[in-house]
């Protein structure tokens, strides 16, 4: 697959995932925040004359918390792996997320290679938390990592299509 088709294919795949998750028979939900890991987050007050600058709140895993509550921490873990040597290594993301406190048994990941053995243009991985899923997508075809909260599938998983066993 050429790079010129990689980005549109990744976008269509994400669109298909979003469309199909809407067909699960679950009640409609409102869109949730997507976190762009390339944009710095500022929590400084807008009125610098009367307010002292505040430091950003520490991001931490919230045991028993919702997917929305854990999205900032999930995003931070994903960004850390993305900054390392295993950018498109699904195992690196699963291991990092499990090491950070997420339940490995609630995770899914797509293959690192295409069906003909080429490196994947993008990979997706997820963690199911209650009725919702933390979903990440990384790869050379999409640029910076993308993380979001999506409704879980009625099948119990988060990702549509072929996933690989997490047997390590």
């Amino acid at each position: 697959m050429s790079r010129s088709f990689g980005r549109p294919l990744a976008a269509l795949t994400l669109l298909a995932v979003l469309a199909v998750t809407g067909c699960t028979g679950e009640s409609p939900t409102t869109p949730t925040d997507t976190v762009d890991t390339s944009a710095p987050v500022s929590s400084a007050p807008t009125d610098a004359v009367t307010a002292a600058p505040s430091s950003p709140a520490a991001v931490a895993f919230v045991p028993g918390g919702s997917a929305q509550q854990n999205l900032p921490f999930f995003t931070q873990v994903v960004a850390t792996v993305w900054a390392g040597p295993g950018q498109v290594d699904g195992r690196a993301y699963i291991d990092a997320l499990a090491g950070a406190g997420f339940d490995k048994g609630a995770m899914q990941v797509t293959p690192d290679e295409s069906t003909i053995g080429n490196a994947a243009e993008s990979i997706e991985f997820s963690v199911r938390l209650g009725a919702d899923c933390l979903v990440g997508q990384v790869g050379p075809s999409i640029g910076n990592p993308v993380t979001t909260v999506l409704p879980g599938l009625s099948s119990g998983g988060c990702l549509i299509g072929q996933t690989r066993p997490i047997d390590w």
Side-chain angles (χ1 to χ4, degrees), residues 11-74:
L12 287 173
T13 301
L14 187 56
L15 182 60
V17 168
L18 293 173
V20 174
T21 57
C23 299
T24 63
E26 297 176 9
S27 61
T29 59
T30 57
T32 57
D33 294 334
T34 299
V35 177
D36 179 358
T37 60
S38 65
V41 178
S42 173
S43 62
T46 55
D47 185 359
V49 175
T50 60
S54 63
S55 62
V59 178
F61 179 63
V62 181
S66 70
Q68 194 65 48
Q69 289 171 314
N70 280 296
L71 180 60
F73 186 64
F74 179 83

Side-chain angles (χ1 to χ4, degrees), residues 57-141:
V59 178
F61 179 63
V62 181
S66 70
Q68 194 65 48
Q69 289 171 314
N70 280 296
L71 180 60
F73 186 64
F74 179 83
T75 300
Q76 178 179 303
V77 173
V78 169
T80 300
V81 176
W82 179 253
Q87 287 187 329
V88 190
D89 177 6
R91 182 175 181 156
Y93 291 94
I94 298 303
D95 289 348
L97 291 165
F102 292 101
D103 178 12
K104 193 183 224 181
M107 295 183 197
Q108 290 181 288
V109 64
T110 60
D112 295 346
E113 294 182 349
S114 71
T115 56
I116 59 171
N118 293 333
E121 289 290 320
S122 71
I123 62 169
E124 293 82 31
F125 43 88
S126 64
V127 180
R128 178 92 182 220
L129 294 175
D132 293 322
C133 298
L134 292 165
V135 178
Q137 183 178 22
V138 297
S141 68

Side-chain angles (χ1 to χ4, degrees), residues 155-168:
S155 64
C158 296
L159 302 179
I160 296 173
Q162 180 183 0
T163 60
R164 65 188 242 205
I166 300 174
D167 55 5
W168 60 89

